[in-house]
Amino acid sequence: MSTSTNSKLVRGYEVVIGLETHAQLSTQSKIFSGASTAFGAAPNTQASAVDLALPGTLPVMNKAAVERAIRFGLAVGATVAPRSIFARKNYFYPDLPKGYQISQYEIPVVQGGQVQFYVGDQAHTVRLTRAHLEEDAGKSLHEDYHGQTGIDLNRAGTPLLEIVSEPEMGSSQEATEYARALHALVVWLGICDGNMQEGSFRCDANVSVRKPGAPLGTRREIKNLNSFRFLQQAIDAEIQWQIDQIEDGHEIVQATVLFDPDSGETRAMRTKEDAHDYRYFPDPDLPPLVIAPDWVERVKAEMPELPRVMAERFQRDYGLPAYDATMMTQSKAFGAYFEAAARACGAPKLVANWLMGEVSRRLNAEGRELADSPVQARTLAQLIGRIADRTISNNGARQVFDALWSGEGSDVDALIEAKGLKQVSDTGALDAMLDDVLAANTKSVEEFRAGKEKAFNALVGQAMKATKGKADPAVVNELLRKKLGA
Ligand code: ADP
Ligand code: MG
């Protein structure tokens, strides 16, 4: 079960969600043919005889697709099946020339495993049922054909890894964070380009509701959600719809539905087929997929450091809290940036704070990736170094950061100088000024001596004012207490 402890009820109902995610594997050629998988070619220029299902052609398994499935299996702690089976999933649709899709059914290549992620600052684990290899179908083109429909078979035979979760997510937010974590993982592993606009990563959300303690409710499956925002909106709309139905005395009928982002509603496409409708059977054209242990070992040896392992290392080596460490490993770019900056300035927690705060805020607002951040790791490290050595205050640092970001300058020290942001922490310079402050505020001094701690803050405030905010507050504090004999 999910480690969720905060699965909130919606109008008195418990929500149950399981996701089926299709990740397009980043191979050069298709899963069973040599045709290119490149996106955006003119229709039907990348459909080979195999993809067109011409008589007499036979599929040949693409090793690179299998290797990517193994990489995934290892990353989620699953069992990589030593022997798995390809099956035919039979259905009739114009974009499926063979009349069946080659998939895996009873024995998938990846079995079990789990994905870990955060919802807010709370850790969650969702178990995976399986992940199997399959081919994508073609595409019906309804536009530009004056009432006719065209078929583009470029996508037919594109390798997919379908990743199936257990039904154990309790909210749209949890489902969305799971999907984000999965997306980050497949991109990190280099097995999927993660491009959601191009359909390289899409989710089907299975949703049901029940009264607490009741058996699982009947689910409806929302198909083909290719943005995290739509995923969350679609699930929320579906939850409300199902509860309305039940409250009105109707039963939920298992169905496949589509989400219409314009109306914000889910709409039934067809009542859901059961597995037997697909007449699955082992594909006689493909031998069992045998993965010898030494192949798994070779793939393991070539795996990048996993995000979870890197996060543990960041906790251990840099003393980061678990949450920060996870945030710093949301992508390879974040991990590398954090580590470079932390090493350069020696203040890892401050680096994490800046990356989660100011830097992320600016990136999100401008829809940019960390890789094209105008403030690179070395520069941020310099800036943080100046906070750590108390040359500038946090407030001053934010001004320098803004200037760096907008390209007003590129040298941290030069900007501090130009903007006059240096804190005065030199005791000699502050000494005389503090004497003046005490002389001018005898009332506060008396109140403080009479035991009013508030009066001390007023004196610090006066001192900061006298230096136009440039005094180092910690030094002012210390000197004032000394002068007052406290
Ligand atoms: P199928 O392959 O026919 O779509 P599965 O039983 O393999 O059906 O389940 C598909 C997905 O539906 C899985 O992600 C699973 O977690 C989810 N699921 C199954 N039952 C429910 C339910 N009652 N409510 C929500 N999700 C469910
Ligand atoms: Mg399904």
Side-chain angles (χ1 to χ4, degrees):
M1 276 294 118
S2 155
T3 52
S4 158
T5 51
N6 66 342
S7 60
K8 289 176 227 92
L9 296 186
V10 180
R11 294 161 63 190
Y13 288 81
E14 193 175 292
V15 173
V16 176
I17 303 162
L19 291 193
E20 295 166 281
T21 305
H22 289 92
Q24 182 179 321
L25 297 173
S26 55
T27 57
Q28 302 283 311
S29 59
K30 293 188 178 173
I31 186 166
F32 300 119
S33 85
S36 166
T37 55
F39 181 84
N44 299 308
T45 55
Q46 289 173 178
S48 74
V50 172
D51 308 321
L52 294 171
L54 296 187
T57 56
L58 286 172
V60 177
M61 183 72 227
N62 180 347
K63 236 180 147 172
V66 179
E67 196 206 283
R68 281 162 178 71
I70 298 173
R71 232 185 277 174
F72 179 78
L74 290 172
V76 295
T79 301
V80 176
R83 185 174 174 280
S84 61
I85 304 288
F86 285 100
R88 291 185 179 179
K89 180 179 182 178
N90 298 278
Y91 64 93
F92 182 77
Y93 205 74
D95 64 20
L96 189 73
K98 289 196 295 292
Y100 60 85
Q101 176 194 26
I102 303 178
S103 183
Q104 296 192 301
Y105 182 56
E106 274 171 319
I107 310 179
V109 61
V110 171
Q111 302 172 7
Q114 57 183 37
V115 175
Q116 290 166 326
F117 56 96
Y118 274 86
V119 179
D121 58 5
Q122 194 171 14
H124 285 249
T125 300
V126 166
R127 290 175 306 165
L128 300 180
T129 315
R130 58 190 276 158
H132 62 254
L133 285 162
E134 63 183 27
E135 59 178 345
D136 208 345
K139 212 168 150 182
S140 299
L141 302 170
H142 305 292
E143 326 90 30
D144 306 335
Y145 289 91
H146 311 287
Q148 292 179 303
T149 290
I151 307 286
D152 177 8
L153 292 171
N154 282 350
R155 211 180 57 186
T158 298
L160 301 177
L161 188 67
E162 177 172 339
I163 303 153
V164 183
S165 85
E166 289 288 295
E168 56 187 32
M169 286 164 269
S171 69
S172 63
Q173 204 195 355
E174 189 181 347
T176 308
E177 292 308 327
Y178 159 84
R180 281 187 203 279
L182 196 58
H183 180 264
L185 181 64
V186 295
V187 171
W188 183 294
L189 293 171
I191 66 174
C192 172
D193 68 17
N195 189 325
M196 295 178 81
Q197 281 90 40
E198 293 177 3
S200 299
F201 186 93
R202 42 195 206 261
C203 295
D204 302 340
N206 294 270
V207 180
S208 66
V209 299
R210 62 174 168 187
K211 285 285 186 185
L216 277 182
T218 302
R219 71 189 148 111
R220 302 211 310 165
E221 178 174 354
I222 317 164
K223 277 281 180 200
N224 266 328
L225 296 159
N226 69 344
S227 92
F228 297 120
R229 194 159 52 92
F230 289 164
L231 175 64
Q232 186 155 3
Q233 285 175 358
I235 293 172
D236 283 331
E238 178 62 21
I239 292 168
Q240 295 299 336
W241 184 87
Q242 288 189 16
I243 295 175
D244 286 344
Q245 290 295 302
I246 296 170
E247 297 280 300
D248 286 350
H250 303 300
E251 271 187 23
I252 303 296
V253 179
Q254 192 173 327
T256 302
V257 308
L258 284 181
F259 176 64
D260 176 2
D262 294 327
S263 68
E265 288 173 353
T266 48
R267 194 159 36 78
M269 254 164 89
R270 52 177 187 258
T271 52
K272 166 79 184 171
E273 308 80 355
D274 278 315
H276 63 252
D277 295 321
Y278 290 121
R279 305 175 330 277
Y280 278 103
F281 64 91
D283 191 322
D285 288 343
L286 283 157
L289 173 59
V290 174
I291 300 175
D294 66 317
W295 191 4
V296 177
E297 285 311 313
R298 274 203 308 280
V299 174
K300 198 185 256 172
E302 287 164 12
M303 292 265 280
E305 185 181 23
L306 293 175
R308 210 147 31 86
V309 176
M310 190 183 275
E312 279 161 17
R313 186 163 62 77
F314 285 178
Q315 284 177 254
R316 204 174 49 240
D317 293 357
Y318 298 101
L320 286 190
Y323 176 76
D324 295 38
T326 303
M327 292 300 122
M328 291 307 101
T329 50
Q330 59 187 270
S331 69
K332 273 190 177 156
F334 257 85
Y337 190 117
F338 165 78
E339 195 152 33
R343 281 201 183 131
C345 73
K349 177 59 182 152
L350 279 180
V351 173
N353 290 350
W354 275 81
L355 277 171
M356 292 187 290
E358 224 42 41
V359 176
S360 289
R361 223 181 341 270
R362 299 297 285 254
L363 292 175
N364 293 340
E366 295 172 22
R368 288 167 104 141
E369 296 291 328
L370 187 59
D372 1 284
S373 162
V375 181
Q376 280 303 303
R378 206 137 55 109
T379 312
L380 186 71
Q382 262 167 21
L383 180 62
I384 290 172
R386 290 293 172 254
I387 305 171
D389 70 11
R390 303 186 18 192
T391 304
I392 48 174
S393 64
N394 277 320
N395 199 15
R398 259 192 296 277
Q399 293 179 49
V400 176
F401 181 81
D402 286 346
L404 290 165
W405 190 279
S406 62
E408 193 183 317
S410 58
D411 186 80
V412 169
D413 288 332
L415 281 167
I416 293 172
E417 200 64 51
K419 293 182 172 290
L421 292 169
K422 234 185 199 139
Q423 296 192 110
V424 183
S425 48
D426 165 8
T427 41
L430 287 173
D431 213 41
M433 184 272 290
L434 289 181
D435 286 338
D436 292 347
V437 168
L438 292 180
N441 295 278
T442 45
K443 196 162 160 254
S444 296
V445 173
E446 273 163 32
E447 282 174 4
F448 174 73
R449 294 224 152 99
K452 266 198 185 167
E453 190 61 25
K454 253 195 189 154
F456 183 76
N457 296 337
L459 288 169
V460 173
Q462 288 301 324
M464 293 306 291
K465 206 164 147 194
T467 58
K468 299 198 176 70
K470 282 185 209 158
D472 181 337
V475 177
V476 168
N477 248 280
E478 199 188 308
L479 281 179
L480 266 181
R481 287 206 186 268
K482 219 185 259 168
K483 282 182 186 297
L484 291 165

